[in-house]
Amino acid sequence: DNVLFDGTVLDNITHGRSRYTVEQIEEAAKMANAHEFILKLDKGYSTRVGERGVSLSGGQRQRVAIARALLRNPAILLLDEATSALDMLSEKEVQEALERVMKGRTTITVAHRLSTIRNADRILVFNEGKIVEAGNHRDLSALTGTYQKMISLQEQLR
């Protein structure tokens, strides 16, 4: 769940800090696939989002949060179920943004949707709190273990 507060889109991206330029903010929003939808809002970046961002869709809230993270340029990024509550179109837009965000950063991702971790350098598969498999998507897909079972199950659900 993204933490947005009852302020403007701009306030939520900058988290109330004024040290960023308009260009930096817009660049972060563009990289997060948020700039276009923000410009379509009634007041653009000055649109109030409501408590917890209720006036935005789940995908829009997620992309505002990604823009916030990009603006801060962190060395380490922690993602927890980043696409779990999104429809397929929003998931695609958020996933594209996340791929840009993760470049050049150490990213720790907790995910049940395998699409979120498919491009990870190293995947750790947990079962009952223990690591049961480790590797990249290609290597783990070739095994007949837990990861392969998860792939099969998700393909059946589509």
Side-chain angles (χ1 to χ4, degrees), residues 66-98:
I66 291 168
R68 180 190 302 154
L70 280 168
L71 196 57
R72 286 182 172 51
N73 196 23
I76 299 173
L77 191 61
L78 177 60
L79 303 171
D80 186 5
E81 298 292 353
T83 62
S84 66
L86 303 178
D87 60 68
M88 289 179 71
L89 178 60
S90 294
E91 178 183 359
K92 182 178 181 286
E93 292 173 348
V94 168
Q95 192 60 41
E96 288 172 0
L98 288 173

mmCIF file of all heavy atoms in Angstrom, residues 66-98:
data_model
loop_
_atom_site.group_PDB
_atom_site.id
_atom_site.type_symbol
_atom_site.label_atom_id
_atom_site.label_comp_id
_atom_site.label_asym_id
_atom_site.label_seq_id
_atom_site.Cartn_x
_atom_site.Cartn_y
_atom_site.Cartn_z
ATOM 1 N N ILE A 66 6.366 5.799 -7.098
ATOM 2 C CA ILE A 66 7.598 5.506 -7.839
ATOM 3 C C ILE A 66 8.307 6.813 -8.187
ATOM 4 O O ILE A 66 9.526 6.924 -8.051
ATOM 5 C CB ILE A 66 7.296 4.673 -9.099
ATOM 6 C CG1 ILE A 66 6.838 3.266 -8.696
ATOM 7 C CG2 ILE A 66 8.524 4.607 -10.015
ATOM 8 C CD1 ILE A 66 6.253 2.457 -9.837
ATOM 9 N N ALA A 67 7.544 7.821 -8.613
ATOM 10 C CA ALA A 67 8.139 9.136 -8.924
ATOM 11 C C ALA A 67 8.817 9.704 -7.682
ATOM 12 O O ALA A 67 9.918 10.267 -7.762
ATOM 13 C CB ALA A 67 7.068 10.099 -9.446
ATOM 14 N N ARG A 68 8.187 9.553 -6.538
ATOM 15 C CA ARG A 68 8.785 10.023 -5.274
ATOM 16 C C ARG A 68 10.125 9.336 -5.024
ATOM 17 O O ARG A 68 11.113 9.974 -4.673
ATOM 18 C CB ARG A 68 7.835 9.749 -4.110
ATOM 19 C CG ARG A 68 8.375 10.206 -2.771
ATOM 20 C CD ARG A 68 7.548 9.719 -1.602
ATOM 21 N NE ARG A 68 6.176 10.142 -1.704
ATOM 22 C CZ ARG A 68 5.147 9.499 -1.137
ATOM 23 N NH1 ARG A 68 5.356 8.399 -0.439
ATOM 24 N NH2 ARG A 68 3.931 9.943 -1.261
ATOM 25 N N ALA A 69 10.149 8.026 -5.227
ATOM 26 C CA ALA A 69 11.393 7.282 -5.021
ATOM 27 C C ALA A 69 12.463 7.715 -6.017
ATOM 28 O O ALA A 69 13.625 7.896 -5.644
ATOM 29 C CB ALA A 69 11.127 5.780 -5.150
ATOM 30 N N LEU A 70 12.072 7.910 -7.255
ATOM 31 C CA LEU A 70 13.038 8.337 -8.273
ATOM 32 C C LEU A 70 13.628 9.692 -7.949
ATOM 33 O O LEU A 70 14.814 9.933 -8.163
ATOM 34 C CB LEU A 70 12.362 8.397 -9.636
ATOM 35 C CG LEU A 70 12.196 7.071 -10.354
ATOM 36 C CD1 LEU A 70 11.274 7.226 -11.541
ATOM 37 C CD2 LEU A 70 13.537 6.544 -10.784
ATOM 38 N N LEU A 71 12.810 10.578 -7.457
ATOM 39 C CA LEU A 71 13.262 11.926 -7.140
ATOM 40 C C LEU A 71 14.368 11.904 -6.089
ATOM 41 O O LEU A 71 15.301 12.693 -6.128
ATOM 42 C CB LEU A 71 12.073 12.765 -6.662
ATOM 43 C CG LEU A 71 12.242 14.267 -6.638
ATOM 44 C CD1 LEU A 71 12.607 14.810 -8.001
ATOM 45 C CD2 LEU A 71 10.950 14.919 -6.152
ATOM 46 N N ARG A 72 14.283 10.977 -5.166
ATOM 47 C CA ARG A 72 15.272 10.868 -4.086
ATOM 48 C C ARG A 72 16.532 10.119 -4.514
ATOM 49 O O ARG A 72 17.541 10.147 -3.827
ATOM 50 C CB ARG A 72 14.648 10.189 -2.884
ATOM 51 C CG ARG A 72 13.703 11.142 -2.194
ATOM 52 C CD ARG A 72 13.088 10.560 -0.975
ATOM 53 N NE ARG A 72 12.347 11.540 -0.243
ATOM 54 C CZ ARG A 72 11.429 12.354 -0.711
ATOM 55 N NH1 ARG A 72 11.140 12.355 -1.983
ATOM 56 N NH2 ARG A 72 10.771 13.200 0.052
ATOM 57 N N ASN A 73 16.432 9.385 -5.622
ATOM 58 C CA ASN A 73 17.567 8.667 -6.184
ATOM 59 C C ASN A 73 18.250 7.759 -5.153
ATOM 60 O O ASN A 73 19.461 7.858 -4.911
ATOM 61 C CB ASN A 73 18.575 9.652 -6.783
ATOM 62 C CG ASN A 73 19.551 8.964 -7.701
ATOM 63 O OD1 ASN A 73 19.261 7.897 -8.233
ATOM 64 N ND2 ASN A 73 20.709 9.558 -7.887
ATOM 65 N N PRO A 74 17.505 6.832 -4.545
ATOM 66 C CA PRO A 74 18.098 5.980 -3.508
ATOM 67 C C PRO A 74 19.017 4.913 -4.097
ATOM 68 O O PRO A 74 18.818 4.446 -5.215
ATOM 69 C CB PRO A 74 16.864 5.315 -2.879
ATOM 70 C CG PRO A 74 15.892 5.222 -4.018
ATOM 71 C CD PRO A 74 16.112 6.486 -4.813
ATOM 72 N N ALA A 75 20.018 4.513 -3.340
ATOM 73 C CA ALA A 75 20.921 3.440 -3.767
ATOM 74 C C ALA A 75 20.253 2.077 -3.597
ATOM 75 O O ALA A 75 20.533 1.143 -4.337
ATOM 76 C CB ALA A 75 22.212 3.502 -2.956
ATOM 77 N N ILE A 76 19.377 1.976 -2.600
ATOM 78 C CA ILE A 76 18.673 0.721 -2.312
ATOM 79 C C ILE A 76 17.179 0.980 -2.371
ATOM 80 O O ILE A 76 16.680 1.956 -1.809
ATOM 81 C CB ILE A 76 19.050 0.168 -0.925
ATOM 82 C CG1 ILE A 76 20.555 -0.126 -0.868
ATOM 83 C CG2 ILE A 76 18.244 -1.087 -0.596
ATOM 84 C CD1 ILE A 76 21.063 -0.512 0.504
ATOM 85 N N LEU A 77 16.485 0.090 -3.037
ATOM 86 C CA LEU A 77 15.040 0.210 -3.191
ATOM 87 C C LEU A 77 14.393 -1.063 -2.659
ATOM 88 O O LEU A 77 14.827 -2.171 -2.982
ATOM 89 C CB LEU A 77 14.715 0.392 -4.677
ATOM 90 C CG LEU A 77 13.329 0.794 -5.078
ATOM 91 C CD1 LEU A 77 12.948 2.148 -4.485
ATOM 92 C CD2 LEU A 77 13.232 0.865 -6.592
ATOM 93 N N LEU A 78 13.387 -0.920 -1.810
ATOM 94 C CA LEU A 78 12.668 -2.063 -1.262
ATOM 95 C C LEU A 78 11.238 -2.023 -1.785
ATOM 96 O O LEU A 78 10.516 -1.040 -1.570
ATOM 97 C CB LEU A 78 12.673 -2.014 0.272
ATOM 98 C CG LEU A 78 11.903 -3.110 0.992
ATOM 99 C CD1 LEU A 78 12.452 -4.488 0.653
ATOM 100 C CD2 LEU A 78 11.962 -2.882 2.497
ATOM 101 N N LEU A 79 10.843 -3.067 -2.484
ATOM 102 C CA LEU A 79 9.498 -3.162 -3.051
ATOM 103 C C LEU A 79 8.780 -4.348 -2.421
ATOM 104 O O LEU A 79 9.302 -5.460 -2.413
ATOM 105 C CB LEU A 79 9.567 -3.359 -4.570
ATOM 106 C CG LEU A 79 10.330 -2.303 -5.359
ATOM 107 C CD1 LEU A 79 10.496 -2.742 -6.809
ATOM 108 C CD2 LEU A 79 9.629 -0.974 -5.275
ATOM 109 N N ASP A 80 7.587 -4.110 -1.935
ATOM 110 C CA ASP A 80 6.801 -5.167 -1.305
ATOM 111 C C ASP A 80 5.484 -5.302 -2.054
ATOM 112 O O ASP A 80 4.611 -4.441 -1.942
ATOM 113 C CB ASP A 80 6.563 -4.838 0.171
ATOM 114 C CG ASP A 80 5.879 -5.968 0.915
ATOM 115 O OD1 ASP A 80 5.661 -7.053 0.329
ATOM 116 O OD2 ASP A 80 5.549 -5.761 2.093
ATOM 117 N N GLU A 81 5.372 -6.352 -2.849
ATOM 118 C CA GLU A 81 4.164 -6.607 -3.635
ATOM 119 C C GLU A 81 3.779 -5.380 -4.466
ATOM 120 O O GLU A 81 2.656 -4.902 -4.434
ATOM 121 C CB GLU A 81 3.007 -7.026 -2.719
ATOM 122 C CG GLU A 81 3.251 -8.302 -1.955
ATOM 123 C CD GLU A 81 3.300 -9.561 -2.823
ATOM 124 O OE1 GLU A 81 3.007 -9.496 -4.033
ATOM 125 O OE2 GLU A 81 3.644 -10.621 -2.286
ATOM 126 N N ALA A 82 4.723 -4.880 -5.241
ATOM 127 C CA ALA A 82 4.565 -3.622 -5.970
ATOM 128 C C ALA A 82 3.427 -3.625 -6.984
ATOM 129 O O ALA A 82 2.892 -2.569 -7.319
ATOM 130 C CB ALA A 82 5.872 -3.267 -6.673
ATOM 131 N N THR A 83 3.040 -4.794 -7.490
ATOM 132 C CA THR A 83 1.980 -4.827 -8.503
ATOM 133 C C THR A 83 0.801 -5.711 -8.094
ATOM 134 O O THR A 83 -0.068 -5.986 -8.905
ATOM 135 C CB THR A 83 2.537 -5.342 -9.851
ATOM 136 O OG1 THR A 83 3.018 -6.674 -9.685
ATOM 137 C CG2 THR A 83 3.638 -4.443 -10.377
ATOM 138 N N SER A 84 0.730 -6.110 -6.845
ATOM 139 C CA SER A 84 -0.250 -7.117 -6.432
ATOM 140 C C SER A 84 -1.713 -6.691 -6.552
ATOM 141 O O SER A 84 -2.563 -7.507 -6.827
ATOM 142 C CB SER A 84 0.027 -7.572 -5.003
ATOM 143 O OG SER A 84 -0.192 -6.508 -4.105
ATOM 144 N N ALA A 85 -2.022 -5.424 -6.375
ATOM 145 C CA ALA A 85 -3.424 -5.003 -6.371
ATOM 146 C C ALA A 85 -3.819 -4.272 -7.656
ATOM 147 O O ALA A 85 -4.789 -3.528 -7.670
ATOM 148 C CB ALA A 85 -3.685 -4.105 -5.162
ATOM 149 N N LEU A 86 -3.079 -4.515 -8.733
ATOM 150 C CA LEU A 86 -3.321 -3.758 -9.959
ATOM 151 C C LEU A 86 -3.928 -4.627 -11.049
ATOM 152 O O LEU A 86 -3.665 -5.822 -11.125
ATOM 153 C CB LEU A 86 -1.992 -3.177 -10.467
ATOM 154 C CG LEU A 86 -1.224 -2.281 -9.501
ATOM 155 C CD1 LEU A 86 0.080 -1.836 -10.138
ATOM 156 C CD2 LEU A 86 -2.062 -1.087 -9.079
ATOM 157 N N ASP A 87 -4.721 -3.989 -11.918
ATOM 158 C CA ASP A 87 -5.223 -4.690 -13.092
ATOM 159 C C ASP A 87 -4.064 -4.870 -14.068
ATOM 160 O O ASP A 87 -2.983 -4.316 -13.895
ATOM 161 C CB ASP A 87 -6.376 -3.914 -13.735
ATOM 162 C CG ASP A 87 -5.960 -2.526 -14.179
ATOM 163 O OD1 ASP A 87 -5.159 -2.424 -15.128
ATOM 164 O OD2 ASP A 87 -6.432 -1.544 -13.575
ATOM 165 N N MET A 88 -4.272 -5.618 -15.143
ATOM 166 C CA MET A 88 -3.177 -5.967 -16.045
ATOM 167 C C MET A 88 -2.563 -4.748 -16.741
ATOM 168 O O MET A 88 -1.349 -4.667 -16.905
ATOM 169 C CB MET A 88 -3.641 -6.995 -17.070
ATOM 170 C CG MET A 88 -3.874 -8.370 -16.450
ATOM 171 S SD MET A 88 -4.447 -9.602 -17.626
ATOM 172 C CE MET A 88 -2.981 -9.867 -18.577
ATOM 173 N N LEU A 89 -3.381 -3.777 -17.145
ATOM 174 C CA LEU A 89 -2.857 -2.591 -17.813
ATOM 175 C C LEU A 89 -2.016 -1.757 -16.850
ATOM 176 O O LEU A 89 -0.904 -1.342 -17.174
ATOM 177 C CB LEU A 89 -3.987 -1.739 -18.395
ATOM 178 C CG LEU A 89 -3.557 -0.435 -19.073
ATOM 179 C CD1 LEU A 89 -2.624 -0.731 -20.250
ATOM 180 C CD2 LEU A 89 -4.776 0.330 -19.547
ATOM 181 N N SER A 90 -2.542 -1.549 -15.639
ATOM 182 C CA SER A 90 -1.786 -0.788 -14.634
ATOM 183 C C SER A 90 -0.513 -1.520 -14.257
ATOM 184 O O SER A 90 0.539 -0.901 -14.072
ATOM 185 C CB SER A 90 -2.639 -0.556 -13.383
ATOM 186 O OG SER A 90 -3.725 0.290 -13.673
ATOM 187 N N GLU A 91 -0.590 -2.842 -14.155
ATOM 188 C CA GLU A 91 0.599 -3.630 -13.817
ATOM 189 C C GLU A 91 1.676 -3.426 -14.875
ATOM 190 O O GLU A 91 2.854 -3.241 -14.553
ATOM 191 C CB GLU A 91 0.264 -5.117 -13.707
ATOM 192 C CG GLU A 91 1.484 -5.973 -13.402
ATOM 193 C CD GLU A 91 1.194 -7.463 -13.356
ATOM 194 O OE1 GLU A 91 0.053 -7.884 -13.544
ATOM 195 O OE2 GLU A 91 2.166 -8.218 -13.134
ATOM 196 N N LYS A 92 1.284 -3.420 -16.138
ATOM 197 C CA LYS A 92 2.246 -3.225 -17.223
ATOM 198 C C LYS A 92 2.917 -1.853 -17.113
ATOM 199 O O LYS A 92 4.142 -1.748 -17.231
ATOM 200 C CB LYS A 92 1.549 -3.360 -18.580
ATOM 201 C CG LYS A 92 2.473 -3.221 -19.767
ATOM 202 C CD LYS A 92 1.684 -3.409 -21.065
ATOM 203 C CE LYS A 92 2.567 -3.312 -22.272
ATOM 204 N NZ LYS A 92 2.985 -1.970 -22.592
ATOM 205 N N GLU A 93 2.136 -0.816 -16.873
ATOM 206 C CA GLU A 93 2.689 0.542 -16.758
ATOM 207 C C GLU A 93 3.608 0.664 -15.550
ATOM 208 O O GLU A 93 4.676 1.268 -15.631
ATOM 209 C CB GLU A 93 1.557 1.562 -16.688
ATOM 210 C CG GLU A 93 0.789 1.682 -17.983
ATOM 211 C CD GLU A 93 -0.446 2.556 -17.871
ATOM 212 O OE1 GLU A 93 -0.858 2.896 -16.747
ATOM 213 O OE2 GLU A 93 -1.006 2.888 -18.925
ATOM 214 N N VAL A 94 3.193 0.088 -14.440
ATOM 215 C CA VAL A 94 4.014 0.134 -13.224
ATOM 216 C C VAL A 94 5.280 -0.695 -13.419
ATOM 217 O O VAL A 94 6.370 -0.271 -13.036
ATOM 218 C CB VAL A 94 3.209 -0.344 -11.992
ATOM 219 C CG1 VAL A 94 4.113 -0.583 -10.798
ATOM 220 C CG2 VAL A 94 2.121 0.664 -11.649
ATOM 221 N N GLN A 95 5.152 -1.859 -14.046
ATOM 222 C CA GLN A 95 6.320 -2.712 -14.272
ATOM 223 C C GLN A 95 7.347 -2.014 -15.159
ATOM 224 O O GLN A 95 8.552 -2.069 -14.890
ATOM 225 C CB GLN A 95 5.890 -4.045 -14.897
ATOM 226 C CG GLN A 95 6.975 -5.085 -14.898
ATOM 227 C CD GLN A 95 7.464 -5.439 -13.507
ATOM 228 O OE1 GLN A 95 6.691 -5.566 -12.578
ATOM 229 N NE2 GLN A 95 8.755 -5.580 -13.356
ATOM 230 N N GLU A 96 6.888 -1.317 -16.193
ATOM 231 C CA GLU A 96 7.809 -0.557 -17.053
ATOM 232 C C GLU A 96 8.546 0.503 -16.236
ATOM 233 O O GLU A 96 9.752 0.680 -16.386
ATOM 234 C CB GLU A 96 7.045 0.116 -18.194
ATOM 235 C CG GLU A 96 6.558 -0.830 -19.264
ATOM 236 C CD GLU A 96 5.643 -0.141 -20.271
ATOM 237 O OE1 GLU A 96 5.383 1.077 -20.158
ATOM 238 O OE2 GLU A 96 5.180 -0.843 -21.191
ATOM 239 N N ALA A 97 7.817 1.191 -15.388
ATOM 240 C CA ALA A 97 8.426 2.223 -14.543
ATOM 241 C C ALA A 97 9.425 1.599 -13.570
ATOM 242 O O ALA A 97 10.525 2.120 -13.371
ATOM 243 C CB ALA A 97 7.355 2.998 -13.790
ATOM 244 N N LEU A 98 9.057 0.476 -12.973
ATOM 245 C CA LEU A 98 9.944 -0.175 -12.010
ATOM 246 C C LEU A 98 11.243 -0.635 -12.669
ATOM 247 O O LEU A 98 12.312 -0.552 -12.063
ATOM 248 C CB LEU A 98 9.247 -1.363 -11.346
ATOM 249 C CG LEU A 98 8.162 -1.012 -10.340
ATOM 250 C CD1 LEU A 98 7.432 -2.266 -9.876
ATOM 251 C CD2 LEU A 98 8.731 -0.247 -9.162
#
